[in-house]
Amino acid sequence: GENVEQHPSTLSVQEGDSAVIKCTYSDSASNYFPWYKQELGKRPQLIIDIRSNVGEKKDQRIAVTLNKTAKHFSLHITETQPEDSAVYFCAASLYGNKLVFGAGTILRVKS
Amino acid sequence: GAVVSQHPSWVICKSGTSVKIECRSLDFQATTMFWYRQFPKQSLMLMATSNEGSKATYEQGVEKDKFLINHASLTLSTLTVTSAHPEDSSFYICSARAQVGGEYEQYFGPGTRLTVT
């Protein structure tokens, strides 16, 4: 079955700097790769996603890149703000079916 | 649109009792819903896939007789934790699969915090 690895497990950046979180997946059939932000005790919130027919997607300060050949995808957050501090999860899925999540990255933005 | 609710938001029960958690899609129909479990400081792990009108598909290592799933309508799936024990204490989150613009996405409920004493 699918296996998703996520790095780093924790990331501390200064406010205004960029943050990058990387994930690799094992099943080449996976074609949907969402990123979620989760605050303590809350539901995961979809922040951006990418499908296998696209190599890059951007939404304001957030971007995701996908390398199907290498089976990895990355989340890029620019101009980080204190409210970006949270746990971020990547996931992989086939057509939006069962999601396999990475282990998560704790992002701390220091002001 | 695409709102998913869960009830209750938190529950405390005694060891050996059963607890039912409801997951509802409020403004769309969901033939497929998913149940995830999240232990403190860990990731979300899929427990089972719930399909309307048919038996749920459980992930390896999840006891189907302990975690009963019923998806009796297109807007409601329930998870019953039977004979709960302290090790079942966790954050249970459901999601519902919806088609948006020809593509499928999952929408998460707010989660249910279960504490077994």
Side-chain angles (χ1 to χ4, degrees), chain A residues 17-80:
Chain A
D17 287 351
S18 295
V20 180
I21 303 171
K22 298 181 179 182
C23 288
T24 60
Y25 61 100
S26 62
D27 189 348
S28 56
S30 292
N31 60 6
Y32 176 59
F33 308 94
W35 285 90
Y36 295 92
K37 175 183 181 182
Q38 188 180 31
E39 297 176 346
L40 192 62
K42 301 287 182 65
R43 79 183 87 192
Q45 175 191 357
L46 178 69
I47 56 172
I48 196 166
D49 58 13
I50 193 166
R51 300 181 194 272
S52 59
N53 58 346
V54 176
E56 185 173 356
K57 185 176 178 180
K58 188 174 181 180
D59 183 5
Q60 298 183 345
R61 297 186 296 111
I62 296 173
V64 57
T65 59
L66 171 65
N67 183 326
K68 287 188 296 182
T69 303
K71 289 189 284 188
H72 66 69
F73 56 112
S74 301
L75 176 70
H76 304 253
I77 305 175
T78 59
E79 301 171 26
T80 54

Side-chain angles (χ1 to χ4, degrees), chain B residues 70-83:
Chain B
N70 185 283
H71 193 155
S73 79
L74 288 171
T75 59
L76 173 64
S77 175
T78 61
L79 168 68
T80 301
V81 183
T82 63
S83 187

Side-chain angles (χ1 to χ4, degrees), chain A residues 38 43 95-98 102, chain B residues 36 38 43 46 97 106 108-109:
Chain A
Q38 188 180 31
R43 79 183 87 192
Y95 294 117
N97 266 313
K98 60 180 188 178
Chain B
Y36 297 86
Q38 186 177 33
S43 186
L46 179 67
R97 185 169 174 245
Q106 285 190 33
F108 284 89

